[in-house]
């Protein structure tokens, strides 16, 4: 509950000045759009002191705002220095509404397109445009610069989820989702949600406590081919025990470049409410066509198999 000093925000403002930016949006989410983040991705907490699960900051040269919802009004007042951040309601007066009312022509507001969804980015960009301002996608993560002792990305071990417990093999699930893609006239699905990837591949992770999903990216082709972009150190010597079949394993650092190759002349399905805004630029540069639609894995994951239902009951009794 210690109040923050002005050092982090001063460092961010120095970064913005060096980049000729008039402000920056800092969301709570990580690049996987997760509500619960690893210490490496607690950028909003580092900047403001606020540790709640929902929030967003707007930092300008002479003022800064923190948007939180009604659950966190008391917590935010306790954790955040009111001399540095003015508190606003995340839903009643979201950042895009504030920008429409208070933005100035010529402003250049930076945003990390990996940490905002397509839908979020479009709302903020539209608000900026209405007042003659511009939302500028950052090419790098400023917190790598302003956060000198930033924790490293997590490397939690990955384990398998037995098909007997899941009710279907990973290959069966991939074939099922691939058929959905073909029905939607899409050539591939870009998946960035860790829980959806965990379900599809029958794996579990440990990057974030109490959230058994591995942080990673994935491309599923309409013919069933699958590419998983995960740090190999998370797999260790357990690869043979995982239900991965012919899944191609690649490091996450090559995700953007490989996506650029894979999308050429193809229709790419992505959920605008969950996929990062950076995806649109990668698809455009690769010569693909982005197809915004609900993620078919999300719906398939919601319909539980008898084995999953039995697992719920077992877990309940164990509790």
């Amino acid at each position: 509950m210690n109040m923050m000093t002005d050092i982090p925000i001063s460092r961010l403002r120095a970064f913005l000045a060096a980049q000729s930016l008039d402000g920056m949006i800092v969301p709570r989410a990580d690049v996987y759009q997760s509500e619960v983040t690893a210490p490496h991705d607690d950028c909003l907490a580092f900047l403001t002191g606020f540790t709640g699960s929902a929030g967003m900051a707007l930092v300008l040269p002479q003022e800064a705002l923190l948007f939180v919802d009604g659950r966190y009004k008391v917590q935010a007042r306790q954790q955040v220095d009111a001399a540095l951040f003015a508190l606003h309601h995340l839903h009643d007066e979201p950042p895009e509404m504030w920008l429409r009312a208070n933005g100035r022509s010529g402003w250049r507001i930076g945003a990390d397109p990996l940490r905002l969804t397509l839908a979020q980015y479009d709302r903020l960009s539209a608000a900026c445009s209405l007042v003659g301002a511009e939302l500028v996608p950052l090419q790098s993560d400023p917190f790598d610069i302003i956060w000198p002792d930033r924790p490293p990305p997590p490397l939690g071990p990955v384990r398998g989820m037995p098909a007997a417990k899941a009710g279907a093999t990973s290959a069966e699930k991939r074939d099922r989702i691939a058929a959905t893609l073909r029905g939607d006239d899409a050539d591939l699905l870009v998946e960035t949600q860790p829980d959806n990837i965990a379900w599809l591949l029958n794996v579990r992770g440990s990057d974030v406590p109490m959230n058994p999903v591995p942080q990673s990216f994935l491309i599923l082709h309409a013919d069933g081919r699958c590419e998983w972009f995960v740090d190999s150190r998370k797999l260790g010597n357990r690869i043979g025990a995982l239900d991965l079949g012919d899944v191609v394993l690649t490091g996450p650092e090559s995700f953007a470049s490989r996506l650029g190759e894979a999308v050429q002349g193809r229709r790419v399905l992505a959920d605008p409410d969950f996929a990062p805004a950076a995806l649109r630029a990668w698809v455009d540069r690769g010569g693909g066509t982005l197809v915004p639609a609900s993620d078919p894995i999300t719906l398939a994951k919601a319909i539980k198999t008898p084995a999953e239902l039995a697992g719920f009951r077992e877990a309940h009794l164990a509790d």
Side-chain angles (χ1 to χ4, degrees):
M1 293 294 185
N2 292 330
M3 294 294 188
M4 296 290 290
T5 68
D6 65 348
I7 293 176
I9 194 171
S10 295
R11 289 174 179 166
L12 181 57
R13 283 174 169 148
F15 170 87
L16 298 178
Q19 299 294 317
S20 299
L21 295 170
D22 300 290
M24 180 176 169
I25 297 287
V26 181
R28 172 69 177 85
D30 57 21
V31 301
Y32 312 98
Q33 310 309 316
S34 302
E35 182 178 86
V36 182
T37 56
H40 171 82
D41 295 302
D42 286 340
C43 299
L44 188 65
F46 167 76
L47 181 69
T48 68
F50 173 66
T51 60
S53 64
M56 184 176 289
L58 171 59
V59 177
L60 302 164
Q62 302 301 325
E63 62 180 319
L65 307 91
L66 176 64
F67 299 82
V68 300
D69 66 30
R71 295 171 297 169
Y72 291 119
K73 284 187 174 180
V74 173
Q75 179 177 332
R77 284 197 294 267
Q78 292 175 334
Q79 291 184 317
V80 179
D81 189 342
L84 298 177
F85 289 90
L87 295 180
H88 292 259
H89 199 287
L90 183 61
H91 302 299
D92 293 347
E93 187 191 7
E96 56 267 28
M97 183 182 294
W98 189 93
L99 285 167
R100 287 197 300 268
N102 301 279
R104 298 179 185 176
S105 179
W107 271 5
R108 300 178 71 248
I109 305 297
D112 185 344
L114 271 170
R115 294 176 181 272
L116 291 172
T117 67
L118 285 159
Q120 288 175 322
Y121 194 92
D122 287 347
R123 288 196 298 269
L124 290 164
S125 181
C128 287
S129 295
L130 283 174
V131 296
E134 178 187 5
L135 191 64
V136 180
L138 301 178
Q139 301 303 310
S140 60
D141 186 350
F143 287 90
D144 283 338
I145 299 172
I146 71 170
W147 192 351
D149 56 348
R150 186 178 190 178
L155 289 172
V158 170
R159 60 181 173 84
M161 182 66 162
K165 292 290 187 183
T169 67
S170 174
E172 290 169 338
K173 293 178 179 181
R174 284 180 269 133
D175 287 343
R176 177 180 165 193
I177 301 301
T180 302
L181 293 179
R182 295 191 295 271
D184 290 338
D185 194 25
D187 298 303
L188 57 89
L189 167 70
V190 177
E191 187 58 74
T192 59
Q193 296 182 71
D195 54 325
N196 281 2
I197 293 173
W199 178 87
L200 184 69
L201 299 181
N202 280 350
V203 295
R204 296 296 184 265
S206 54
D207 287 320
V208 180
M210 309 303 169
N211 288 259
V213 293
Q215 293 184 342
S216 57
F217 302 112
L218 182 140
I219 298 175
L220 179 67
H221 299 258
D223 60 6
R225 289 181 295 120
C226 185
E227 303 175 58
W228 189 22
F229 299 84
V230 61
D231 194 312
S232 61
R233 290 173 291 181
K234 297 181 183 181
L235 306 178
N237 59 3
R238 297 173 295 278
I239 296 178
L242 302 178
D243 182 21
L244 297 180
D246 56 353
V247 175
V248 176
L249 301 177
T250 313
E253 68 281 352
S254 62
F255 175 61
S257 60
R258 171 57 191 143
L259 183 61
E261 298 170 355
V263 302
Q264 293 181 10
R266 306 180 77 191
R267 291 171 56 81
V268 182
L269 191 149
D271 193 326
D273 289 324
F274 293 98
L279 181 62
R280 178 163 43 213
W282 295 339
V283 171
D284 289 345
R285 283 199 296 266
T289 300
L290 190 65
V291 180
S294 296
D295 193 323
I297 296 180
T298 300
L299 179 59
K301 177 167 58 72
I303 303 172
K304 305 306 179 184
T305 65
E308 288 173 318
L309 293 174
F312 287 163
R313 297 185 181 100
E314 293 172 11
H316 171 68
L317 293 174
D319 266 354

